[in-house]
Amino acid sequence: AILPPDSFVKKLLPDSFVLFKPKDIVSGDFYWFEQMNGKIMFAAVDCTGHGVPGAFMSMIGNAMLNEIVLEKGIIRASDILNHLREDIIKSLKQTGAQGEQKDGMDISLCVFDKNDSKLEFSGANNPLWIVAHENPSTLKEIKGDKQPIGIYTGNPTPFTHHEVQLSKGDCIYIFTDGFADQMGGETGKKFKRKTMKELLL
């Protein structure tokens, strides 16, 4: 119910697709789309937990993203993630104490300006992949920061803000680990991101 309708997604990004196949009826992964001040924001989010516990985190994350963008008017990619981390830590009353639940999320978040084809990206553990129209045999990866949205044992730093100038025909991909972590094939091993890159190319 919280996921954006297909019609809304297609209206914002007509040449886009979403692959979403939750293992259970509800999921710890979700995708998010919004529009504000001529900019289109979208994210692929992987919450801790699966099924019902993961879905609760998904609902919290979705509500917080909407509040940050629609109510607070924050539309810079890295600022959205910085505020999301603060809100998650505060909402879940995380202190970093030993034995405490380390619930949180990994995310790839983009802000796209249709007027000048500029793409902002910020990521928590998850990357952005770009296949340029001029060089379709190469996949460029912009890595997310190696820290989650939520409390963790390292030293949290502000999320990195990336800007990319896109050209007509460029393809971009954001995702959770759901596809790459699928087990199968002749060996019964994980699909892995390397194979996923080859598939997309």
Side-chain angles (χ1 to χ4, degrees):
I2 66 168
L3 295 173
D6 291 345
S7 56
F8 182 62
V9 174
K10 285 294 180 187
K11 182 184 172 188
L12 295 183
L13 297 171
D15 295 323
S16 65
F17 75 94
V18 174
L19 178 70
F20 182 67
K21 294 187 171 184
K23 178 175 153 289
D24 302 300
I25 296 169
V26 289
S27 172
D29 287 6
F30 73 97
Y31 54 97
W32 174 83
F33 282 77
E34 200 46 74
Q35 184 178 33
M36 193 175 199
N37 296 350
K39 295 189 176 182
I40 299 164
M41 287 144 275
F42 51 97
V45 192
D46 179 2
C47 301
T48 49
H50 301 278
V52 173
F56 276 120
M57 278 298 295
S58 290
M59 291 183 74
I60 291 168
N62 184 79
M64 286 180 175
L65 282 168
N66 287 335
E67 183 183 345
I68 289 163
V69 170
L70 298 176
E71 293 181 27
K72 296 180 181 174
I74 296 162
I75 57 172
R76 182 178 163 90
S78 55
D79 290 346
I80 293 171
L81 292 201
N82 289 327
H83 278 81
L84 183 60
R85 176 170 59 191
E86 284 175 24
D87 290 351
I88 286 287
I89 290 171
K90 188 177 174 183
S91 174
L92 300 180
K93 300 178 176 63
Q94 295 177 333
T95 62
Q98 199 156 359
E100 182 182 75
Q101 282 288 101
K102 300 267 192 305
D103 284 324
M105 53 192 74
D106 297 337
I107 182 172
S108 294
L109 183 136
C110 296
V111 178
F112 179 56
D113 192 328
K114 268 191 165 179
N115 295 320
D116 58 10
S117 296
K118 192 172 283 182
L119 184 81
E120 298 175 16
F121 166 73
S122 196
N125 288 322
N126 287 350
L128 164 71
W129 287 355
I130 303 172
V131 179
H133 180 65
E134 288 185 352
N135 191 8
S137 61
T138 305
L139 189 150
K140 179 185 177 185
E141 178 175 64
I142 300 176
K143 294 189 173 179
D145 295 299
K146 288 193 172 180
Q147 54 184 3
I149 300 289
I151 205 103
Y152 83 119
T153 48
N155 293 319
T157 57
F159 286 97
T160 308
H161 185 80
H162 302 272
E163 287 193 8
V164 183
Q165 185 62 54
L166 295 178
S167 301
K168 189 173 174 63
D170 290 353
C171 291
I172 63 166
Y173 300 94
I174 58 172
F175 44 86
T176 68
D177 59 7
F179 196 93
D181 279 359
Q182 290 300 307
M183 311 284 279
E186 292 175 8
T187 58
K189 292 183 178 175
K190 282 187 180 181
F191 192 72
K192 293 194 174 175
R193 284 191 180 179
K194 182 175 179 288
T195 321
M196 190 172 157
K197 283 182 184 178
E198 292 166 2
L199 176 70
L200 291 173
L201 286 169

